[in-house]
Amino acid sequence: MKTFMPKAADITRQWYVVDAEGQVFGRVASQVANILRGKNKPIYTPNVDTGDYVIIINADKIVMTGKKLDQKIYYHHTGYVGGRKLLAEKPEFAIRRAVVGMLPKGPLGRQMAKKLKVYAGPNHDHAAQKPVKFDLV
């Protein structure tokens, strides 16, 4: 019996919308990273990008547990520091950084990260792709 290796023609990509309102930050990030990698599909292969596109809406209404909101510090090369301030001003950056950190490093991970779209509000620009609502566990 031969081992199945997915080719580019075998992969069908789906668009998903994830509503982050009231969801826990880290759980959203880990489940979205699994969708981007394709781990929710039976044809998952670690060295092939079999994942789907993900649109995260309402990123500004995501919830952090514990004291992370006060103690978490995001460093940037310009010296910008902030936890609560960053989530208030740029929630898209915080979520994107968490998800990309959970993807593989290198060209394959960068290719997967391009399939992530994050919006602070409830509106997005991808209605033409007919995204399906994805309910997080």
Side-chain angles (χ1 to χ4, degrees):
M1 183 159 192
K2 301 251 181 185
T3 302
F4 174 75
M5 290 301 293
K7 309 283 188 292
D10 299 333
I11 301 169
T12 56
R13 302 213 190 272
Q14 180 72 31
W15 284 75
Y16 292 112
V17 173
V18 174
D19 189 3
E21 183 175 2
Q23 300 287 332
V24 179
F25 184 86
R27 292 173 198 228
V28 170
S30 64
Q31 291 179 9
V32 167
N34 283 340
I35 296 169
L36 290 172
R37 287 196 76 182
K39 283 190 161 187
N40 59 338
K41 294 182 174 184
I43 63 167
Y44 169 70
T45 308
N47 61 332
V48 179
D49 183 12
T50 58
D52 296 319
Y53 290 88
V54 178
I55 304 164
I56 300 177
I57 58 172
N58 292 324
D60 56 347
K61 296 180 179 131
I62 202 159
V63 176
M64 282 205 171
T65 58
K67 298 180 182 178
K68 289 186 211 76
L69 197 57
D70 297 322
Q71 294 176 349
K72 180 79 175 166
I73 298 174
Y74 291 94
Y75 293 100
H76 196 264
H77 73 280
T78 61
Y80 177 81
V81 179
R84 182 180 301 271
K85 187 176 175 186
L86 178 69
L87 283 177
E89 293 176 1
K90 294 189 259 179
E92 305 95 355
F93 174 78
I95 294 176
R96 175 175 299 283
R97 183 168 174 175
V99 172
V100 169
M102 295 178 189
L103 294 175
K105 310 311 181 252
L108 182 64
R110 288 190 291 274
Q111 182 181 353
M112 292 175 184
K114 288 180 184 176
K115 297 183 298 185
L116 175 64
K117 316 294 181 192
V118 184
Y119 296 96
N123 301 325
H124 60 84
D125 300 332
H126 305 285
Q129 283 74 24
K130 299 183 179 91
V132 178
K133 187 172 177 4
F134 190 85
D135 294 324
L136 299 175
V137 179

